[in-house]
């Protein structure tokens, strides 16, 4: 019993660690790829979203194949039984997958208009939206410490957003408009992320289907919605320069990292929970800030920013703090 518990704790921290790495590198490469000055057309973020979905499906099919003891016939049967023969179960996932597709497109918009550090911290408001949706949809009970940590989190995010003199001069270079567009994109993404995450968790907890099957279903709808997006927004560009216009090594890294993100998050929801997932991201904020400062050089942290970041980290640990005696059975 203790061994399996230790195992699941290790898996929890491993999946959180990978998530921190994935989030940080995705934000930085995405930001870099959207602001890099290059010859020729820039890649279409809408196509990148679709390819990430397709890669995710491929990876999940391979994982299901591995779970089926690498037997093609078993794989075929599992996919047939779980996906084609349960159309209503599969359709349930059209909702979060449509929202995720919207959100993935919004993140490109946000990162084209905000520096990596500011984006990362503001995007943490999704911890708050996730908590609120968890309380309303999953009837989760949050303890005093958790509510307190959410308040601290909000305060921290507010401090990080606080404009400073150095930012004011930078903001004159970027029009206030683009900063505003970036901010609105992040806020919509926070709400959609909170809702879709909790809805997905609800579905995962209510049914016995594997996370990977669920992700294949998500990816299937995601690709369809994504392709619709490509044709609606970038149809003209597409007919001129093709689907893979402006793709380079960096673009592919972004796409792979984004596909990996979906899988890592699924694993985290399976072994940890949605709100812990939010806090793994807080750690990646700090990494992004450092890299944004030293490497991308598009960001100069101020003392106010540091204070805010410290609050966000403090909230992280407070949220996970459980004052109850260890003897209690753990409620899943």
């Amino acid at each position: 019993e203790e061994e399996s518990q230790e195992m699941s704790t290790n898996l929890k921290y491993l999946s959180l660690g990978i998530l921190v790495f994935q989030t940080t590198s995705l934000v930085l490469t995405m930001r870099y790829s959207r602001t890099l000055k290059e010859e020729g057309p820039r890649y279409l973020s809408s196509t990148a979203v679709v390819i990430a979905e397709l890669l995710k499906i491929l990876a999940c099919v391979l994982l299901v194949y591995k779970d089926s003891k690498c037997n093609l016939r078993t794989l075929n049967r599992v996919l047939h039984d779980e996906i084609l023969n349960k159309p209503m179960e599969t359709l349930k996932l059209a909702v979060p997958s449509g929202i995720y597709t919207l959100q993935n497109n919004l993140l490109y918009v946000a990162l084209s208009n905000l520096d990596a550090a500011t984006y990362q911290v503001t995007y943490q408001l999704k911890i708050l939206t996730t908590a609120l949706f968890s309380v309303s949809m999953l009837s989760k009970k949050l303890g005093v410490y958790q509510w307190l940590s959410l308040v601290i989190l909000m305060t921290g995010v507010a401090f990080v957003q606080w404009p400073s003199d150095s930012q004011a001069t930078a903001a004159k270079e970027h029009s206030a408009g683009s900063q505003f567009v970036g901010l609105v994109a992040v806020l919509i993404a926070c709400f959609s992320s909170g809702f879709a995450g909790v809805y997905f968790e609800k579905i995962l907890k209510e049914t016995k289907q594997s996370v990977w099957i669920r992700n294949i279903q998500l990816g299937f709808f995601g690709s369809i919605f994504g392709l619709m997006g490509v044709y609606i927004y970038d149809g003209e560009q597409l007919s001129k320069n093709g689907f893979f216009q402006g793709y380079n090594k960096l673009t592919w890294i972004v796409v792979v990292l984004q596909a990996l993100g979906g899988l890592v998050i699924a694993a985290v929801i399976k072994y940890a929970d949605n709100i812990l997932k939010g806090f793994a991201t807080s750690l990646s904020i700090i990494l992004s800030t450092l890299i944004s400062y030293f490497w991308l050089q598009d960001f100069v942290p101020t003392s106010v920013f540091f204070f805010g970041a410290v609050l966000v980290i403090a909230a992280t640990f407070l949220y996970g703090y459980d004052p109850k005696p260890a003897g209690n059975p753990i409620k899943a």
Side-chain angles (χ1 to χ4, degrees), residues 107-122:
L107 298 188
Y108 280 101
V109 175
L111 275 165
S112 303
N113 294 299
L114 295 172
D115 66 79
T118 308
Y119 156 81
Q120 269 280 54
V121 180
T122 313

Side-chain angles (χ1 to χ4, degrees), residues 73-89:
R73 193 176 297 153
T74 319
L75 170 70
N76 195 11
R77 198 186 65 234
V78 170
L79 293 181
H80 201 268
D81 289 353
E82 296 293 347
I83 296 174
L84 295 176
N85 292 350
K86 297 184 182 167
M88 288 321 291
E89 286 295 314

